[in-house]
Amino acid sequence: MLKLFLICLALLLPAVLIMGFRVFFTKNGKFPNSHVEGNAALRKKGITCARSQDRAARKKQ
């Protein structure tokens, strides 16, 4: 059981470090904005997230 845990840890630790390289190892590193409104191309098309559309629709009523 311990051997399996150590093997899994040895496989997962490098993967997490590689995925979070910019966040962990750069100055002022932060996670990228993956929200719909954080995407400039979607903003130009007028596409917003469902929460924002619902909020706007409720304000109009």
Side-chain angles (χ1 to χ4, degrees):
M1 185 71 163
L2 180 63
K3 184 178 178 180
L4 179 62
F5 177 75
L6 292 175
I7 291 171
C8 290
L9 186 64
L11 292 173
L12 288 175
L13 185 63
V16 170
L17 288 175
I18 290 169
M19 287 189 294
F21 184 80
R22 188 185 333 171
V23 176
F24 299 137
F25 298 114
T26 59
K27 190 173 185 177
N28 296 329
K30 58 183 176 180
F31 288 101
N33 185 2
S34 61
H35 195 264
V36 174
E37 292 180 356
N39 187 329
L42 292 176
R43 243 189 335 239
K44 285 181 183 177
K45 293 180 181 180
I47 298 172
T48 60
C49 72
R51 239 183 311 156
S52 298
Q53 288 177 346
D54 185 50
R55 190 180 315 121
R58 289 177 189 260
K59 281 186 178 180
K60 287 181 183 178
Q61 292 179 349

